[in-house]
Amino acid sequence: MVGSEVDHDRPRRWPAYAMALLMLGYAAGKAVFALQARLGFPGGPPVSAAEAEGYFLDPALAQWTASASGVLGACVAVVTVTALGRRAPRTPMLLVLAAMTLAVLGGGGIMALDGFVGIGVGWRWYHGVLGVAAIALSVEMFRSYAAATRRAAG
């Protein structure tokens, strides 16, 4: 590496740890609302009683499921930087990371689009910044895992 060049092929651990923290925060927020049997997220736009009533799942069940997905996402993120995760079959791990990245892209994309453009959900500009950051972390975590396991496989 010369001067200010950045080695984009070098695996980095910090995006996975940051994503794990983000996912645990998501899980905790969803658990808080699950205990209250409410839809939404602490600090996010309010969900009206009519919207909650028309939701296809019981709000508590929906929030516990979302909370569990956050814990699972945090575990996946940490696994990508452990020796065990780096030895796991590469293709299934990349498929799991791709699915996780698509989910983060969906949620973060809605936050960003609504926060910056306004599509009526109620997310604010700072939620949009968080959405963009989550997407960037997820993409970098995927890229880093792919780079690290490409070296190990090659």
Side-chain angles (χ1 to χ4, degrees), residues 39 47 49-63 65-66:
L39 291 178
V47 176
E51 286 177 286
E53 191 67 32
Y55 199 66
F56 71 100
L57 287 176
D58 170 67
L61 175 62
Q63 296 292 50
T65 302

Side-chain angles (χ1 to χ4, degrees), residues 34-144:
L35 291 170
Q36 301 168 2
R38 293 174 50 195
L39 291 178
F41 192 82
V47 176
S48 72
E51 286 177 286
E53 191 67 32
Y55 199 66
F56 71 100
L57 287 176
D58 170 67
L61 175 62
Q63 296 292 50
W64 282 122
T65 302
S67 182
S69 75
V71 172
L72 179 62
C75 291
V76 168
V78 171
V79 163
T80 66
V81 293
T82 64
L84 177 65
R86 298 276 170 98
R87 285 192 308 268
R90 185 172 193 261
T91 300
M93 278 295 291
L94 287 173
L95 288 173
V96 168
L97 288 172
M100 185 173 163
T101 300
L102 286 173
V104 171
L105 179 64
I110 288 170
M111 289 172 67
L113 187 61
D114 192 40
F116 298 135
V117 178
I119 58 174
V121 178
W123 295 107
R124 308 292 298 230
W125 69 267
Y126 46 87
H127 296 118
V129 171
L130 181 60
V132 170
I135 291 166
L137 282 173
S138 191
V139 167
E140 178 55 21
M141 180 179 66
F142 182 95
R143 189 220 51 83
S144 183

